Amino acid sequence: GTSPSGGNEFQQGLLVTDPETGEEIARYPGSFGTGVFASGHAEVIAAGNGAVWTTDDQVRVLRIEPSTGEATPVPRADCGLDAIATGLGSTWVVCPGSTVGTVVQIDPFELTGRDIKMPGNLGATSDVGTGGANMWIAASGPLVRFNQLDRRAEVVEGLIADDVAVDGSDVWIVDELAATVSRIDPKTGAPAQTVEL
């Protein structure tokens, strides 16, 4: 069909809405959320730590001030992210690649980042979530748990995770081949509940 009048001028901008009514509060034009669509993932934006986090057309991770739309590039996080999440007092960026080898932990106020070493020989990352003291990565196969207290990353054995979502202490994973969604015990990594789809 045809595009609405003025629609093309606002592609890839940010829209702020009222969570109760859905009404528009503000528009911030720009090339946001780009540099990741080729990977097929939708996790191009996260909100938390007092800011909105996304990418731009120069494949940089941006911290956006919600009240003004001012965008600040994050040094050392220019990777065209595969996934992004906030939690545990940090913003987490997972960079693309043939293996899960680049995860950047960003201080949301200093905008400094440091790399986290991940276990090798894992598939491309599809999702990331945080909860408790852990950051979880679905590696399109293995599920990786990174404990922020001891700064140790390990593969949770016996699980296939194509996607992960975390809500408080609940960790949920999707196994696309088995067509299941499972709630994982965050301490043991064992499935506590499985739903067949």
Side-chain angles (χ1 to χ4, degrees):
T2 60
S3 297
S5 176
N8 289 337
E9 284 80 1
F10 192 61
Q11 286 182 349
Q12 299 172 333
L14 290 179
L15 178 67
V16 185
T17 61
D18 184 301
E20 297 294 328
T21 66
E23 293 180 2
E24 179 181 320
I25 296 174
R27 285 183 181 225
Y28 302 132
S31 295
F32 301 120
T34 58
V36 292
F37 292 121
S39 64
H41 303 303
E43 300 84 358
V44 298
I45 188 168
N49 299 322
V52 176
W53 307 84
T54 186
T55 58
D56 67 4
D57 57 358
Q58 298 178 46
V59 198
R60 300 178 299 180
V61 175
L62 302 177
R63 180 194 188 279
I64 298 174
E65 171 57 46
S67 62
T68 64
E70 179 183 356
T72 304
V74 178
R76 291 188 63 244
D78 50 350
C79 67
L81 58 92
D82 260 349
I84 188 169
T86 60
L88 312 179
S90 298
T91 298
W92 307 85
V93 172
V94 182
C95 298
S98 58
T99 62
V100 178
T102 308
V103 176
V104 182
Q105 181 182 9
I106 299 169
D107 182 303
F109 306 105
E110 299 291 330
L111 292 188
T112 55
R114 63 176 171 173
D115 294 344
I116 297 170
K117 183 172 177 56
M118 291 287 120
N121 302 318
L122 301 177
T125 304
S126 57
D127 210 353
V128 61
T130 60
N134 296 311
M135 187 258 296
W136 302 83
I137 297 175
S140 296
L143 178 68
V144 178
R145 173 175 47 204
F146 172 76
N147 186 291
Q148 179 157 271
L149 299 179
D150 61 17
R151 302 203 60 77
R152 186 166 56 100
E154 61 182 355
V155 175
V156 180
E157 298 295 337
L159 295 177
I160 299 297
D162 293 296
D163 287 294
V164 63
V166 184
D167 181 22
S169 60
D170 287 335
V171 179
W172 295 84
I173 63 170
V174 172
D175 182 338
E176 293 179 0
L177 185 61
T180 59
V181 176
S182 299
R183 180 167 58 87
I184 304 304
D185 185 318
K187 294 181 180 177
T188 66
Q193 176 186 2
T194 298
V195 179
E196 293 185 359
L197 303 175

